[in-house]
Amino acid sequence: MKSVLIVEDEPAIADTLIYALKTENFSVTHVTTGSEGLDHFSSTPPDFVVLDIGLPDLTGFDVCRRIRESSEVPILFLTARDSEIDQVLGLELGADDYVTKPFSPRAVVARIRAIMRRGQPSPAPSVPPSSALLHHTEETMSITCCGHQLDLTAHEYKLLAIFLSQPGRVFTREQLLEKAWDDPGSAMDRTIDAHIKSLRAKLRDQSTEAAQTLQTRRGLGYTLVF
Ligand code: CA
């Protein structure tokens, strides 16, 4: 059983995370201050640390630095403000990733699993915030969802890549056919609907939250909304 140390002073946030992690068979220790976190870390080193930034005593940044003096344990930051994200990215603290409040506990657990699978922590967070859920690597023509590579057909890949290139933009079926099909005349509007349906199902296999990003705009078309 993998152990997770949660350092978070807001009980409501800690409780939902603890519940989600225990449901997924993690052993969880929860403390509410940075110094308790460091004490627990040195007495019982966990497999993973979830670290709030705004703590009553130290900042999460301080705690992260202290942990990094002696350990490469994966660390996930919980951030509440954009300014904190800038710091996470800018300070090169050695955190592995971060999530922004409010978050879905299930998505966080999926992220923790993905980071653990990745094994060795990277020196800096590599995933920008909006694409943490879905990440497109153009060079390899691959798209990951919560860290899992999606097994997509060529048309599903092209469609999702189009949406990811312009999140929030509404694409009509005609535009999608034009962009993703070599011979758009041979396909029909409902071809798009069928592909969107299968795409949603593949996303849902990884994360309900991810499937919900692909939205229907009735009478208009489709859009990807983070
Ligand atoms: Ca806090």
Side-chain angles (χ1 to χ4, degrees):
M1 193 185 261
K2 295 283 186 184
S3 57
V4 178
L5 171 64
I6 299 176
V7 188
E8 165 63 79
D9 58 318
E10 289 168 69
I13 289 176
D15 287 349
T16 55
L17 254 188
I18 292 166
Y19 178 79
L21 281 163
K22 286 190 170 167
T23 307
E24 298 274 325
N25 284 322
F26 287 91
S27 98
V28 185
T29 305
H30 171 221
V31 297
T32 54
T33 65
S35 47
E36 283 176 286
L38 287 169
D39 285 348
H40 185 84
F41 188 85
S42 36
S43 63
T44 325
D47 297 308
F48 200 101
V49 179
V50 177
L51 197 49
D52 183 31
I53 292 175
L55 294 165
D57 52 349
L58 307 165
T59 70
F61 299 133
D62 298 329
V63 177
C64 180
R65 276 194 206 94
R66 296 273 296 279
I67 290 176
R68 278 287 172 265
E69 286 170 7
S70 65
S71 166
E72 290 295 298
V73 66
I75 296 175
L76 177 75
F77 273 126
L78 304 178
T79 67
R81 293 188 299 274
D82 287 349
S83 60
E84 292 178 345
I85 296 174
D86 292 343
Q87 282 182 279
V88 174
L89 296 173
L91 292 176
E92 296 186 7
L93 291 156
D96 292 273
D97 211 338
Y98 61 92
V99 289
T100 312
K101 298 173 188 174
F103 50 74
S104 128
R106 284 185 56 195
V108 174
V109 174
R111 194 84 66 83
I112 291 173
R113 282 199 184 286
I115 295 169
M116 282 182 156
R117 255 196 309 274
R118 206 157 71 203
Q120 285 306 303
S122 54
S126 55
V127 186
S130 61
S131 59
L133 199 55
L134 286 168
H135 186 67
H136 181 199
T137 308
E138 286 180 35
E139 296 75 28
T140 56
M141 295 195 178
S142 59
I143 298 174
T144 57
C145 177
C146 300
H148 296 265
Q149 181 152 340
L150 293 167
D151 184 15
L152 303 173
T153 66
H155 283 128
E156 289 165 354
Y157 164 76
K158 286 184 192 175
L159 285 172
L160 193 50
I162 291 165
F163 288 121
L164 282 166
S165 71
Q166 286 177 283
R169 173 176 164 182
V170 178
F171 291 92
T172 65
R173 291 173 178 78
E174 292 73 23
Q175 286 168 336
L176 293 170
L177 281 172
E178 197 65 42
K179 286 171 182 289
W181 265 256
D182 295 329
D183 180 11
S186 69
M188 286 178 291
D189 284 5
R190 66 169 181 275
T191 311
I192 294 286
D193 298 339
H195 279 83
I196 296 283
K197 194 176 168 194
S198 64
L199 250 184
R200 280 201 187 114
K202 288 182 181 180
L203 293 173
R204 196 174 302 114
D205 284 346
Q206 303 299 337
S207 143
T208 315
E209 198 188 347
Q212 286 165 353
T213 61
L214 197 46
Q215 297 180 2
T216 306
R217 294 292 298 276
R218 208 168 289 279
L220 298 172
Y222 295 99
T223 183
L224 186 80
V225 180
F226 283 115

